[in-house]
Amino acid sequence: MSPDLPPVVPSVTAELVGALPPRLRKRLDAGVTKLVARPAVRDGDTVRIAVDDDTDLVLHAPGGAVTRADAIRCGCLLAPDCLHRAAAASAAPVADEAPAGDPEKPETPDEPETAPEAGAEDDAANAGRRAAARAVSDAAAAVLEAGTDGAGAVLQAELLHAAHTARLAGLPRLSAAAVAVVTGVRAARSGDPGYRLTDLAGALAGVLGVAHRLPHATGPELTDLRGTARQPYRPDGSLRLYGLFSEPVLTATGYAGAVTWTADAEGRLYTVADVAPGGPARATGAADRAVRIGDTSLTHRELSRAGLAVSGATVSPTGRLGAGAGVRAVRASGVAWRAEPLDRLWAVPAAEQVSRALNGGRDLLFLEVTPVGAVRETAGDCLLADCDGLSVLLTTAHDDPSLPCRENLRLLAAAGRGRLRIVARLVPGPFPRALLLAAEHPADPDARVDLGLDRLQHADLPGGVVAPPDRALPAGDEAPLHLLRRRVHQAVSGGRRVLAFAGDRPGDGARLRRAGLATAGDLLDDLHAAAADRSRDVFGRLLPADTDRFGRSWLAAAVYTDAVERALCADAWGATATGAGGARPPATPVH
């Protein structure tokens, strides 16, 4: 996936790949690799790639995204059904195909859906939704069957085609889930530093789970599974907001920018976002752009320290402030984190905040910690901190070297200061862990540092010296659940064949049962059996694998693992969590 290319909507990619003859489909992955190595030159809404000395490939993206197949043009002799056009669409980030609406006007709520009753809905529409869910399930199962190593551009295009079909059938949630899988697969195959195997596993479990439940759902469950194509903005009167912090947004889908978090006097959180196609430079540059609310000239960086008085406010369900024509906003004074009303955010016990996050609420944590020092992990240095007797591991929110996250964390770990207020994002797991987003300044508790945007200096430290990590994170005993989790993740990266080869370790299931995890043991055995289940025809040739059975077995193991890990996370923080139906906190901010 190339961030230099404009995003392309799923239907365009599916159309261009589908038009290729079989001989060119076999060469598509190699064509993608070759194309992304060529320089792309952007001129306004147009991106031009020199395929060779005599041939140019042009992508026209009015509004920032390619929405039509004829907007990708190639000068080669085989155009329009050439490899280059399909390769460009397959290499580009996936654009949101839902209507974006006018950014200057609040979006109107979708028409309310009523619980379906017998004969209340058109049979053809119901059949269309079932067919769309089946298509997405089959395409996602094929990606899982191949793993990221084998899920090339053709399989990705088939899943994008199914996502487009689901959207047309009125299933925006399923469509978005399918697109998230393609985005994760592309990030894995391109070596994107932002790729996380756990995120892709969660995306696959999400799309397979929704597709599995949709045909049998009714009433409110069906409404929830369908989702909405647009976020409704509703009037919220006048607001007096206080800046909390800003964070960069840098996604694997090729979008970048900044989000500023604010709070009102009651502690409710609101966000102002500036996110668009781009890379790290846009993530840092967006912080110094003026917020798009009313006539204010405040930048995101300034708003994170100041305040905002808004009249005629419109707010989405996730707390994002609308920028409609009727919204008025002026600069107001801000307050320190230790002053009212922001002080109340840190008064909520950590366990209560974690419970809220695990049960579908905000995943932000407002903690007061004492830094213990830096510790070493495979992925890099982390900050070990004490939070009222609980050891918490704080890690960077972004690994991109152009952002100051990692160096700021090292300096903060060496600051040697006592109690420190921070803002972090919960990372579910058996050990208390969170992504560090913002912190009080080491030398001034009335100031704060946005760790993804501001850059601490050695002079900010009391001693001016940064000591290297003096300890490694204690390994501890491997949790038996890891035996199942590892197989779930191995299937995502290596596909069914990896588990078929690894199916000769019956001791893993027995070990899980001895640890009291009998269900985990049964699920692991069933997963290996589904992976190894291959029949032969009368001539001894292997028949195609049953991808549906393997997908169901993998989904059961993934859902179980997620539920147990959430319970372990709650226990580690002394919190409470709902059952498997609860929502996992998002890995990236909602914007």
Side-chain angles (χ1 to χ4, degrees):
M1 184 171 60
S2 173
D4 296 326
L5 298 177
V8 178
V9 297
S11 58
V12 169
T13 305
E15 178 181 344
L16 293 178
V17 175
L20 291 177
R23 64 181 182 84
L24 290 183
R25 283 192 171 203
K26 296 178 181 179
R27 296 166 48 191
L28 182 54
D29 288 332
V32 171
T33 301
K34 182 177 180 180
L35 189 71
V36 296
R38 305 294 297 173
V41 179
R42 184 182 293 271
D43 182 13
D45 292 335
T46 301
V47 175
R48 188 178 302 273
I49 303 173
V51 177
D52 54 40
D53 294 339
D54 303 314
T55 306
D56 281 351
L57 180 70
V58 178
L59 293 86
H60 185 54
V66 176
T67 59
R68 296 170 56 91
D70 57 11
I72 303 179
R73 303 187 298 274
C74 183
C76 76
L77 296 177
L78 295 179
D81 297 331
C82 65
L83 184 68
H84 304 128
R85 298 175 71 217
S90 300
V94 184
D96 181 7
E97 206 166 16
D102 184 351
E104 295 304 320
K105 296 179 181 179
E107 295 177 340
T108 56
D110 292 322
E111 184 176 330
E113 305 214 38
T114 57
E117 299 177 358
E121 292 187 288
D122 182 76
D123 290 339
N126 283 328
R129 291 190 181 103
R130 287 195 296 269
R134 181 75 261 177
V136 171
S137 179
D138 289 345
V143 169
L144 178 63
E145 163 84 9
T148 56
D149 296 341
V154 173
L155 283 181
Q156 295 169 27
E158 290 174 354
L159 184 52
L160 289 177
H161 175 72
H164 178 63
T165 302
R167 176 177 170 270
L168 294 180
L171 302 173
R173 178 178 173 183
L174 185 61
S175 176
V179 169
V181 170
V182 174
T183 296
V185 169
R186 290 183 177 180
R189 292 175 63 86
S190 65
D192 191 311
Y195 167 70
R196 296 291 182 271
L197 177 58
T198 53
D199 292 343
L200 179 54
L204 269 168
V207 70
L208 289 172
V210 173
H212 175 74
R213 294 165 58 196
L214 261 169
H216 315 288
T218 59
E221 182 187 13
L222 177 59
T223 300
D224 178 62
L225 291 175
R226 285 178 184 169
T228 56
R230 313 177 73 178
Q231 283 238 331
Y233 281 73
R234 302 184 186 280
D236 203 18
S238 298
L239 297 173
R240 174 63 168 94
L241 303 176
Y242 302 85
L244 273 169
F245 72 100
S246 291
E247 62 172 320
V249 174
L250 190 59
T251 74
T253 60
Y255 285 81
V259 172
T260 298
W261 293 80
T262 66
D264 66 8
E266 283 70 44
R268 292 188 295 262
L269 300 182
Y270 299 82
T271 61
V272 181
D274 180 357
V275 180
R282 194 184 192 286
T284 55
D288 294 314
R289 296 175 184 265
V291 298
R292 298 183 60 192
I293 298 181
D295 299 324
T296 179
S297 60
L298 274 173
T299 66
H300 284 266
R301 196 186 303 271
E302 291 170 337
L303 176 57
S304 68
R305 273 81 171 173
L308 205 62
V310 186
S311 61
T314 57
V315 184
S316 78
T318 60
R320 179 176 176 177
L321 291 170
V327 179
R328 298 288 182 267
V330 296
R331 179 173 185 153
S333 59
V335 298
W337 282 357
R338 293 182 179 270
E340 286 292 341
L342 298 184
D343 181 70
R344 68 181 58 191
L345 295 171
W346 279 266
V348 181
E352 184 176 331
Q353 296 185 51
V354 171
S355 296
R356 177 184 61 204
L358 291 175
N359 295 322
R362 294 284 194 187
D363 61 347
L364 290 185
L365 303 180
F366 299 89
L367 307 176
E368 190 159 342
V369 302
T370 300
V372 176
V375 296
R376 293 185 299 273
E377 274 194 325
T378 304
D381 297 346
C382 305
L383 171 60
L384 186 64
D386 175 82
C387 180
D388 295 327
L390 184 68
S391 294
V392 178
L393 195 64
L394 301 173
T395 60
T396 57
H398 296 279
D399 290 327
D400 194 288
S402 63
L403 300 178
C405 304
R406 189 160 296 282
E407 184 60 24
N408 281 342
L409 185 140
R410 292 183 62 248
L411 290 170
L412 204 61
R417 191 187 149 184
R419 301 284 285 178
L420 192 71
R421 286 191 171 181
I422 65 170
V423 182
R425 178 167 285 114
L426 177 67
V427 178
F431 186 86
R433 179 186 292 262
L435 305 177
L436 189 57
L437 303 174
E440 289 178 329
H441 195 283
D444 183 3
D446 290 331
R448 66 196 72 158
V449 180
D450 296 333
L451 296 171
L453 298 171
D454 303 326
R455 195 173 293 274
L456 282 170
Q457 303 296 327
H458 286 247
D460 294 325
L461 304 184
V465 178
V466 179
D470 58 358
R471 71 203 69 176
L473 186 67
D477 295 331
E478 183 183 80
L481 187 66
H482 175 75
L483 300 173
L484 181 60
R485 184 196 312 114
R486 179 171 57 193
R487 298 307 185 201
V488 168
H489 289 174
Q490 281 180 337
V492 174
S493 57
R496 180 197 56 78
R497 64 187 182 278
V498 171
L499 295 193
F501 295 148
D504 57 351
R505 299 186 61 184
D508 287 350
R511 180 180 172 188
L512 286 167
R513 293 184 187 91
R514 287 196 301 270
L517 298 173
T519 301
D522 293 343
L523 289 171
L524 181 58
D525 290 345
D526 183 68
L527 184 59
H528 282 309
D533 184 13
R534 294 292 301 273
S535 302
R536 295 179 182 271
D537 62 16
V538 294
F539 299 103
R541 296 171 299 193
L542 281 174
L543 294 173
D546 186 349
T547 58
D548 188 56
R549 181 197 170 187
F550 179 65
R552 290 197 309 270
S553 296
W554 181 88
L555 177 60
V559 170
Y560 173 88
T561 303
D562 178 73
V564 174
E565 285 184 333
R566 292 177 64 254
L568 292 174
C569 177
D571 182 69
W573 289 87
T576 57
T578 60
R584 166 181 276 185
T588 56
V590 178
H591 56 262

